[in-house]
């Protein structure tokens, strides 16, 4: 989604803003812009449609310098991607503002501002906020007070950074519903929507709370809560290094992140399992007692994280014998969910900021759940801060829009949850626990072995490049794996791909099968192997081309219409879904590379969807 960076310093801040924008680009963007106050006290702005690189080129021809500035990457919500709609938005060439989020009452505010003579040059809700603050400046003359006044009138979600040439020493920032982090330097201060933007300049951060407004000067930061009271917010030191988000030798972040999975999974399991048992402390000090009380689980998430939840359902039901519902957050939040007694709410999110999942977590807070657990990859995120229990995935920053290592680390964390619930409910004896833990500990090596299949999968990908559609099939726990495979392919290669539970084939999708419809099947040798084998025979009988991901024991044999990729280590019920995801990620990746799409930043998509 949109990204914000701002800086006030003794030095020229434009290079800091540009580096910050580059580091935020992964969140999704369609235009970028920045403004700095030059030494003559004028606001100098540059905005370009397209990538941050386009803005950099524009700045090469028309340089901008200044010691205070704000910048933005935009993902259009109100108004098409066009220069006039890019941020920073101005009011009267005096005030500049960048904004993430959506202002819901922008229409009423716009009418009243128009009546007062304000001219609108964009279609954005953001310009409304700029004019509103400007209007307050006319009477108050103080930027902080004007922002505080204006944000009280806003409905919706926002992260804002504002500067004004009439108040040239400070940036004011505000948060409601979208994250804002302040970076602490020595004689310089920064603001951003994500710490990734600021890692090259600092590791010291303060996260604003909902409703906070903050003032950044060179010498210091002051923070005020929604009532205007000065407050202290805790400073944290990030362990991430600036190069944690570098691409290194890899052609794309996605490929780098696919290859980081053995390590990311190992880190997620670390200190949570010993050689033969799950550590009770993995879910926090009080969790053991709490998990024993759980009588059912509701899992809520979006996108790839939702698929992780669907996989966990099979494992929780099997290992813990507990009912488990899994639902898309944007649906859950607008139902009136009926919550039976002693149910555990689980939200899964890479970013911890996805608007629908966060809203679902908040709704769950009113519904009398036993507890709310967040499985999340960003320690400083809203979901982590607002949940009762937290299990961090330790994937490290994920930059590619198509989620890879976040997914397999979520699966690892969820496997731990299934085990912990099974144990708490007395369904797992020491031997079963030791076996499950051994299976989990072998997962990084099994993923490494799956990554070795890169060569044959790349060859296979050539086959799919000119196809317009693909069907993915799986059964049982591998049905959601097939869904994730289809999502990966459509996200980055733009090939229309759908997943079906293979048992449903006869109920409709079989009608689509002909020589132009590749069928990609996830078919390990498990209890459902013979079932899916019959389903695939139905496809073959109709001339369909099969791509089967399986293992040596399954006995699938290749022929001119059947390609078989056999995984060297198939894993057991807890780990097979993660292992079989690897070839599907590689397949989508190579198809996209062959097609020449923008793998890391697919069109129309955003990494972190912080608006509805
Ligand atoms: C976006 C991303 C997906 C991600 C989904 C949920 O659509 O492009 O990769 O799965 O959001 O994000 P979350 O951060 O909540 O896991």
């Amino acid at each position: 989604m949109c990204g914000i960076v701002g800086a006030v310093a003794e030095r020229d801040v434009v290079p800091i803003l540009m580096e910050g924008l580059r580091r935020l680009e992964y969140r999704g963007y369609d235009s970028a812009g920045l403004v700095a106050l030059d030494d003559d006290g004028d606001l100098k702005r540059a905005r370009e449609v397209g990538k941050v690189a386009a803005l950099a080129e524009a700045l090469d021809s028309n340089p901008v310098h200044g010691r205070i500035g704000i910048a933005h990457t935009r993902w259009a919500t109100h108004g098409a991607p066009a220069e006039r709609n890019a941020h920073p938005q101005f009011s009267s060439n005096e005030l500049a503002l960048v904004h993430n989020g959506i202002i819901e009452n922008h229409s009423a505010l716009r009418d009243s501002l128009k009546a007062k003579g304000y001219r609108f040059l964009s279609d954005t809700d953001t310009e409304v906020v700029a004019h509103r603050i400007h209007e307050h400046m006319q009477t108050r003359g103080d930027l902080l007070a004007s922002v505080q006044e204006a944000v009280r009138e806003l409905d919706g979600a926002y992260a804002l950074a504002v500067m004004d040439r009439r108040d040239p020493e400070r940036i004011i920032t505000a948060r409601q519903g979208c994250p804002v982090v302040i970076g602490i330097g020595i004689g310089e201060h920064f603001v951003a929507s994500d710490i990734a933007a600021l890692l090259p300049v600092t590791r010291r951060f303060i996260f604003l709370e909902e409703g906070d407004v903050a003032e950044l000067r060179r010498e210091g930061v002051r923070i005020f809560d929604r009532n205007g009271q000065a407050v202290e917010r805790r400073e944290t030191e990030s362990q991430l290094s600036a190069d944690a988000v570098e691409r290194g030798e890899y052609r794309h972040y996605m490929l780098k992140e696919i290859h980081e999975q053995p390590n990311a999974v190992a880190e997620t399991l670390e200190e949570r399992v010993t050689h033969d048992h799950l550590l009770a402390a993995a879910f926090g000090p009080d969790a053991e007692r709490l998990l024993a009380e759980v009588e059912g689980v509701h899992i809520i998430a979006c996108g790839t994280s939702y698929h992780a939840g669907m996989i966990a359902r099979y494992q929780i039901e099997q290992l813990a014998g507990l009912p488990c519902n899994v639902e898309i957050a944007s649906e859950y939040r607008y139902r009136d969910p009926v919550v039976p007694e002693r149910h555990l709410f689980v939200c899964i999110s890479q970013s911890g900021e996805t608007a629908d999942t966060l809203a679902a977590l908040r709704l769950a807070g009113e519904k009398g759940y036993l507890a709310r657990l967040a499985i999340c990859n960003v320690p400083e995120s809203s979901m982590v801060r607002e949940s009762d229990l937290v299990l961090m995935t330790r994937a490290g920053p994920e930059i590619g829009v198509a989620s890879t290592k976040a997914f397999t680390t979520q699966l690892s964390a969820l496997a731990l949850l299934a085990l912990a619930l099974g144990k708490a409910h007395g369904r797992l004896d020491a031997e079963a626990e030791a076996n499950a833990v051994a299976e989990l500990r072998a997962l990084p090596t099994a993923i490494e072995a799956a990554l070795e299949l890169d060569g044959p999968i790349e060859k296979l990908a050539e086959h799919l490049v000119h196809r317009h559609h693909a069907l993915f099939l799986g059964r049982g726990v591998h049905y959601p794996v097939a869904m994730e495979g289809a999502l990966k392919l459509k996200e980055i290669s733009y090939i229309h791909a759908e997943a079906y539970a293979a048992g449903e084939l006869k109920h409709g999708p079989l009608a689509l099968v002909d020589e132009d419809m590749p069928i990609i099947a996830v078919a390990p040798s498990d209890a459902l192997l013979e079932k899916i084998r019959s389903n695939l025979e139905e496809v073959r009988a109709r001339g369909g081309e099969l791509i089967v991901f399986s293992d040596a024991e399954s006995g699938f044999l290749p022929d001119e219409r059947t390609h078989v990729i056999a995984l060297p280590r198939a894993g057991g019920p807890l780990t097979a879904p993660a292992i079989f995801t690897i070839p599907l990620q590689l397949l989508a990746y190579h198809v996209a590379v062959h097609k020449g799409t923008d793998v890391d930043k697919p069109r129309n998509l955003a990494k972190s969807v912080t608006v509805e």
Side-chain angles (χ1 to χ4, degrees), residues 349-371:
S349 175
Q350 187 285 126
S351 61
E353 301 293 349
T354 301
D356 284 321
T357 314
L358 188 56
L361 171 68
R362 288 175 181 161
L363 173 66
E366 301 158 13
K367 291 282 172 187
Y369 282 96
L370 192 61

Side-chain angles (χ1 to χ4, degrees), residues 1-3 24-29 75 100 178-179 193-194 349-355 378 381 383 398-402 605-612:
M1 224 62 337
C2 306
L24 289 178
E25 246 194 324
Y26 75 92
R27 294 160 60 103
Y29 57 86
W75 190 79
N100 291 355
C178 297
S193 43
D194 185 328
S349 175
Q350 187 285 126
S351 61
E353 301 293 349
T354 301
V378 179
S381 63
M383 282 182 224
E398 190 180 62
I399 307 295
V401 165
L605 298 181
K607 179 73 187 157
S608 180
V609 180
T610 51
V611 293
E612 248 194 286

Side-chain angles (χ1 to χ4, degrees), residues 158-175:
Y158 54 80
L160 302 175
V162 192
M163 51 189 273
D164 193 303
R165 59 188 297 258
R166 296 162 295 176
D167 193 340
E169 309 264 297
R170 53 185 181 166
I171 294 173
I172 308 297
T173 178
R175 167 197 171 136

